[in-house]
Amino acid sequence: MNQPRTARSLDDLVAAGVLAPEAAAGLARVADRYAIAVTPYLLERIRDGGEPFARQYLPDPGETDAAPEERPDPIGDGAHMPVKGIVHRYPDRVLLKLHHACPVYCRFCFRREMVGPGGDALSKDELAAALDYVRAREEVWEVILTGGDPLALSARRLAEVVGVLDAIGHVGVIRLHSRVPLADPGRIDADLVSALRASDTAVWVAVHCNHPAELTAEAAAALARLADAGIPLLGQTVLLRGVNDDPAVLEALFRGLVRNRVKPYYLHHPDLAPGTARFRLDLEEGQALMRAIRGRLSGVCQPTYVLDIPGGHGKAPIGPVWLHGGSAQGDGIEVEDWRGRRHAYPPEATRVAIDRKDGLE
């Protein structure tokens, strides 16, 4: 019996029943430019659920229409790459991009010009040079494995990299960013979990999840295998028009993550990757969504809404403002509560008491 296989072409998507033949006919230019991969597990989910879940994974004609503000390297990785595979943007942490392959290629990916079957993987010598870079810089406290999806590597190779990093005394945290627990949850098996164990370094996994429909029983079991092994889990979400740009969807998503022991970490404003304009909201729309969920969700469910500044300048928090007015001396400050009501700070009665104590009356 033939095992289901990953769809890697328009014909594969048609054969899997997730793309109409007439739709595929207009997507040849997209397929020529950007990689396609949808795992058998996700194909089944798409057949069951359709939009908006499928919007993340299925090609769209608009992908070849780049807006003037879009750029191949939207967050400026290339400006901070001292050696191949290393991005050193912040003083205390680096990205280590081991390869450029993923089990699924998301249609909004900010590295869509770099990832794919033909993308570079570090050779043995290049990996050694990247690890030497980390070893030589004691300010590097955290190494973030990204790429390409690090959990797409074999357990053996992953264990080797984790082992080398674990032996570098000044590295305190190894963080892996992955879509695998949601795109191919069966891959999170005992061997892979074992490969993530370190003796002297904290290992964290950041899981990329954008819609509550991704938190299936299979995905929950994969996350549990990681959490039960003592690996702390973070959630990363991209705010996507037509996928999760609704307070009720975000509420269900963030509660679902926390229920699965995943702390929502970042809500990313979508980057200016070529051909992704259909996914982007205005900043004001994103802030309004964050404002809408503020009083509806526990603080443990609240991510930080961030924008990666184009050009390589790093992330900036861009959530709504809750503090209004005020002078240089701090007078006239108002704090807005989750209902939209404003309150003086400090309260008037407290201010009068302080003035009396200081002999100002």
Side-chain angles (χ1 to χ4, degrees), residues 291-302:
R291 186 179 292 275
I293 67 172
R294 180 67 187 175
R296 296 167 63 157
L297 290 174
S298 158
V300 75
C301 297
Q302 301 275 346

Side-chain angles (χ1 to χ4, degrees), residues 36-294:
I36 294 171
V38 186
T39 63
Y41 171 81
L42 286 177
L43 290 171
E44 186 176 347
R45 303 286 80 72
I46 292 170
R47 286 192 292 266
D48 290 344
E51 291 281 358
F53 182 83
R55 184 173 168 83
Q56 303 179 76
Y57 306 113
L58 298 182
D60 183 274
E63 294 184 43
T64 55
D65 299 329
E69 68 274 14
E70 294 174 342
R71 52 188 70 186
D73 182 11
I75 68 168
D77 278 355
H80 300 278
M81 194 173 292
V83 299
K84 188 173 181 179
I86 291 286
V87 177
H88 196 173
R89 180 178 286 109
Y90 302 101
D92 73 331
R93 55 204 181 275
V94 299
L95 302 182
L96 174 54
K97 299 194 285 186
L98 298 170
H99 67 154
H100 286 82
C102 298
V104 60
Y105 294 109
C106 302
R107 310 321 298 178
F108 52 85
C109 179
F110 68 98
R111 291 196 178 114
R112 63 199 324 249
E113 298 279 357
M114 309 167 197
V115 297
D120 282 346
L122 295 185
S123 68
K124 183 178 179 180
D125 288 345
E126 289 167 342
L127 176 58
L131 293 169
D132 283 344
Y133 180 91
V134 174
R135 195 177 287 110
R137 285 158 180 82
E138 293 194 0
E139 71 273 20
V140 175
W141 178 77
E142 183 174 15
V143 178
I144 302 164
L145 305 185
T146 181
D149 195 313
L151 296 189
L153 293 170
S154 69
R156 178 190 59 79
R157 189 172 181 210
L158 199 55
E160 289 174 355
V161 174
V162 169
V164 172
L165 292 172
D166 187 33
I168 299 175
H170 56 85
V171 173
V173 175
I174 302 166
R175 187 183 352 149
L176 299 93
H177 286 206
S178 181
R179 200 80 153 116
V180 167
L182 307 178
D184 191 9
R187 186 172 179 81
I188 308 297
D189 59 14
D191 288 342
L192 190 141
V193 172
S194 179
L196 299 179
R197 290 196 175 96
S199 60
D200 193 45
T201 310
V203 176
W204 292 61
V205 172
V207 181
H208 181 169
C209 184
N210 297 324
H211 195 275
E214 295 179 285
L215 294 170
T216 62
E218 295 90 343
L223 294 171
R225 288 191 287 274
L226 292 166
D228 289 347
I231 298 171
L233 303 176
L234 300 171
Q236 295 218 110
T237 297
V238 181
L239 184 58
L240 301 169
R241 187 179 297 282
V243 176
N244 56 21
D245 57 332
D246 179 277
V249 173
L250 291 176
E251 180 179 342
L253 170 61
F254 297 143
R255 281 184 175 164
L257 286 169
V258 171
R259 186 75 177 265
N260 284 284
R261 291 179 283 176
V262 181
K263 170 65 181 85
Y265 175 46
Y266 279 149
L267 176 65
H268 293 270
H269 193 78
D271 296 310
L272 297 174
T276 62
R278 69 191 183 283
F279 287 112
R280 281 198 299 278
L281 289 75
D282 294 336
L283 292 174
E284 292 80 5
E285 293 177 278
Q287 290 174 332
L289 285 166
M290 289 299 294
R291 186 179 292 275
I293 67 172
R294 180 67 187 175

